[in-house]
């Protein structure tokens, strides 16, 4: 099983757009963003569509076409991004009903529902306290050797 990277891609997109904005350029293309993410521009366009629907980016058509941040980076919390790209629970229960004759099979789903709900709430609280501006600042401060 692999982890879903939609959140990571969306945060990367917004952080790169914030950097470009800070350097005096507002409009960027999906091809330009894809270069930073090192992925196909189609992946970026899908992410941008989610972010646009959430009101985090806007698109400009025609001459000078491209994407811009809809809000300042310091007003976009990771929770906003999470809500834009996350359409299912963080943790899934069994696809089918476990064996109800087994004491574990009978009780595991209600137990895990509560644990998972608490974990997702903790994630939401953490994401609410971190902005794209914070990610940009910390990213630029990080130097890999």
């Amino acid at each position: 099983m692999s982890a879903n990277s939609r959140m990571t891609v969306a945060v990367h997109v917004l952080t790169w757009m914030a950097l470009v904005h800070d350097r005096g350029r507002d409009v960027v293309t999906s091809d330009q963003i894809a270069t930073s993410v090192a992925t196909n521009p189609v992946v970026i366009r899908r992410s941008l569509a989610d972010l646009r629907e959430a009101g985090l980016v806007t698109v400009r058509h025609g001459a000078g076409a491209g994407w811009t941040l809809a809000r300042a980076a310091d007003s976009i919390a990771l929770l906003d991004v999470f809500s834009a790209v996350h359409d299912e629970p963080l943790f899934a229960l069994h696809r089918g009903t476990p064996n109800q004759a087994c004491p574990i099979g009978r009780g595991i789903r209600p137990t895990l529902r509560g644990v998972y709900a608490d974990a997702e709430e903790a994630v939401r609280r953490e994401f609410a306290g971190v902005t794209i501006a914070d990610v940009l600042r910390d990213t630029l401060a990080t130097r890999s050797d």
Side-chain angles (χ1 to χ4, degrees):
M1 290 183 238
S2 64
N4 185 328
S5 63
R6 290 174 64 203
M7 176 72 176
T8 300
V9 169
V11 170
H12 188 139
V13 165
L14 293 169
T15 304
W16 189 83
M17 291 176 74
L19 174 66
V20 168
H21 174 78
D22 287 355
R23 292 185 175 171
R25 201 172 90 219
D26 284 328
V27 180
V28 297
T29 67
S30 56
D31 289 338
Q32 292 166 332
I33 299 167
T35 299
S36 176
V37 181
T39 192
N40 190 300
V42 171
V43 172
I44 301 305
R45 285 191 285 276
R46 283 189 204 124
S47 183
L48 287 164
D50 290 338
L51 297 171
R52 181 184 62 188
E53 189 173 311
L56 302 177
V57 298
T58 58
V59 64
R60 181 185 302 171
H61 299 286
W67 297 87
T68 62
L69 291 175
R71 304 192 324 230
D74 63 359
S75 72
I76 301 173
L78 293 190
L79 182 57
D80 299 322
V81 183
F82 181 75
S83 297
V85 302
H86 192 72
D87 57 0
E88 55 192 44
L90 281 177
F91 306 102
L93 295 172
H94 307 79
R95 288 184 184 260
T97 303
N99 181 350
Q100 296 300 289
C102 170
I104 302 303
R106 186 174 46 253
I108 194 76
R109 290 175 103 186
T111 299
L112 288 180
R113 267 191 206 102
V115 170
Y116 292 169
D118 291 347
E120 187 155 342
E121 182 56 34
V123 167
R124 289 179 179 280
R125 274 193 312 273
E126 181 67 21
F127 284 171
V130 180
T131 68
I132 292 297
D134 296 329
V135 173
L136 176 58
R137 182 196 63 239
D138 294 349
T139 300
L140 293 176
T142 302
R143 300 284 185 239
S144 59
D145 297 324

